[in-house]
Amino acid sequence: MATNPDLTEGASPGRGGPVVADLMTRARNGDKQAWDALVERYAPLIWSICRRHGLGDADADDVGQNVWLKLAGQLEKIRLPAALPGWLATTTRRECGRILRAAPGSRDTGQAPAAETIPDDDARTAEDELLAAERHAALREAFADLPPCCQQLIALLTENPPPSYAQISARLGLPAGSIGPSRGRCLDKLRRHPAITALTNPDAGTPA
């Protein structure tokens, strides 16, 4: 039987920050909303690792379910938020290896590479995926907390291709001359959101 990965394996200091720490604390206390938020935050990381291992949707779903089931039994032991993403990535890779080893028609001995033998390039790719997943979750969280007027303005400005200021003015009823300053204020609010500052300044809010 395979042993569980070390709870700090693959962890990178400074990741997660106070937002993840709060979610972990609440999830340990049985808060379903906090648990769901953790799943939403890190599901893209798990899914991307499954894809890199060539798993289809059904197998990726099985891996995800097993990873979250294992986390439910280990969450009490993960004391640092920075350790959580590394634990998830390592556990996901090992679950992917288990699925591949069990797949019918596996070539040669049917042995998939163990997590420990994955090349360094793959480990760095997992780090990149982690950063992307964390940034995506932080932006989504910060964007959801913006005032509706800022949400509408930023959504328009990030369309591809973006509409002209005249078009934005007509759609939002804003003077064209106020769109630039409004954009600056909205982006400043986005940057100051705790989820964003936790990524850009992981020590913010940490007691000395």
Side-chain angles (χ1 to χ4, degrees):
M1 178 181 297
T3 58
N4 285 329
D6 183 82
L7 295 180
T8 60
E9 183 174 350
S12 296
R15 300 277 167 79
V19 173
V20 174
D22 177 63
L23 291 176
M24 290 173 65
T25 299
R26 288 162 50 200
R28 290 188 192 105
N29 293 329
D31 187 325
K32 184 178 183 301
Q33 287 186 332
W35 175 262
D36 290 344
L38 284 174
V39 172
E40 182 181 6
R41 189 178 189 95
Y42 292 111
L45 171 64
I46 293 174
W47 189 261
S48 64
I49 293 173
C50 290
R51 287 309 196 198
R52 282 199 300 111
H53 282 75
L55 300 187
D57 290 353
D59 285 337
D61 286 341
D62 286 344
V63 167
Q65 290 176 11
N66 287 337
V67 170
W68 295 119
L69 184 62
K70 289 177 182 291
L71 178 62
Q74 296 290 334
L75 192 57
E76 289 285 348
K77 299 179 182 178
I78 303 177
R79 300 186 182 276
L80 298 176
L84 177 58
W87 186 93
L88 289 171
T90 299
T91 304
T92 300
R93 289 194 295 269
R94 292 187 176 182
E95 284 297 307
C96 287
R98 182 184 62 79
I99 291 287
L100 292 171
R101 285 192 296 271
S106 296
R107 288 181 292 179
D108 298 325
T109 61
Q111 292 294 319
E116 295 84 352
T117 66
I118 291 177
D120 289 342
D121 285 348
D122 281 359
R124 284 192 289 270
T125 301
E127 277 291 296
D128 292 340
E129 290 165 348
L130 164 60
L131 281 172
E134 288 247 298
R135 287 167 180 163
H136 179 73
L139 281 171
R140 186 172 59 243
E141 182 178 336
F143 182 81
D145 286 342
L146 287 175
C149 58
C150 283
Q151 291 185 12
Q152 294 169 357
L153 179 57
I154 291 176
L156 287 175
L157 289 169
T158 54
E159 285 184 0
N160 187 21
S164 67
Y165 273 21
Q167 291 171 317
I168 294 175
S169 175
R171 291 169 68 173
L172 298 183
L174 291 174
S178 72
I179 292 175
S182 296
R183 171 184 176 274
R185 288 192 294 270
C186 291
L187 290 177
D188 188 56
K189 289 179 181 179
L190 198 68
R191 285 190 292 265
R192 291 174 180 271
H193 190 278
I196 301 297
T197 59
L199 288 179
T200 58
N201 182 16
D203 293 328
T206 302

